[in-house]
Amino acid sequence: MNTIAIVNYGMGNFHSVARALRAAAPDADILIASRPEEVERASRVVFPGQGAMRDCMATLRASGLRDAVLHAARNKPLLGVCVGEQMLFSHSEEGDTPGLGIFPGNVVRFAGPAFSRPGADGAPQLKIPHMGWNRVRQTQAHPLWQGIPDQAFFYFVHSYYVAPSLSSLIVGQSDYGVSFTCAVAQANIFAVQFHPEKSGDTGLRLYRNFVGWNP
């Protein structure tokens, strides 16, 4: 049976992810995994996260699941979601926090004129966190985009985003004051800044594609 482990280290909306996966893949065995051996036995892994990067990394280490995630990233299909995507990178500006270092690059905060106080011209100030529906521009073809139109809407809640050192990692971008990376992929890993579990039928399609993906 196709067993999908959702890594439960205490910092993510695991039950919402599980509900979405069960809807997308009713024949799969969906497990909210809080022990390393559960992650290791699974055929594929979803690595979610929400909250502050520093807290997520500290809780991941304390849970004993850090090495299981690193092992899964080397050996089986892995889908990172929100802070789960950010944690795959080398470093985050949020709390000056080292990440897992699977991908080279930094996690940076929205900044620039679009986020400054309105000036005399009354230019609008964009709010942080970025919260709501945004179009995703598919910058590279990938099996997880199958059946999902380019420029489809996904749901976001975040103040930080990944800035990969390698442009080859980038498979999706969006715009919020600046153009930012919202999806990355390499080999057996696909990771997104948005929340597929909050993105309606389009998000379910992405989860369904992940369940059938054999990199």
Side-chain angles (χ1 to χ4, degrees), residues 129-167:
H130 166 216
M131 183 180 300
W133 295 87
N134 257 53
R135 293 186 184 273
V136 170
R137 185 168 59 254
Q138 298 171 19
T139 59
Q140 291 191 55
H142 192 278
L144 265 68
W145 292 138
Q146 183 178 356
I148 298 173
D150 190 23
Q151 300 287 350
F153 283 95
F154 288 90
Y155 190 81
F156 291 81
V157 182
H158 64 124
S159 301
Y160 292 79
Y161 60 92
V162 300
S165 298
L166 302 175
S167 61

Side-chain angles (χ1 to χ4, degrees), residues 1-65:
M1 176 176 284
N2 196 359
T3 302
I4 305 168
I6 303 167
V7 184
N8 177 14
Y9 57 98
M11 295 290 290
N13 199 354
F14 309 105
H15 294 289
S16 293
V17 174
R19 283 194 296 270
L21 279 168
R22 290 181 182 120
D27 296 330
D29 181 17
I30 310 300
L31 174 66
I32 298 177
S34 55
R35 299 194 304 272
E37 57 269 25
E38 294 173 324
V39 177
E40 289 163 6
R41 285 197 300 264
S43 52
R44 56 194 68 229
V45 173
V46 178
F47 182 40
Q50 65 184 34
M53 175 84 162
R54 178 184 287 274
D55 293 340
C56 286
M57 285 299 301
T59 307
L60 180 66
R61 287 192 299 272
S63 71
L65 289 164

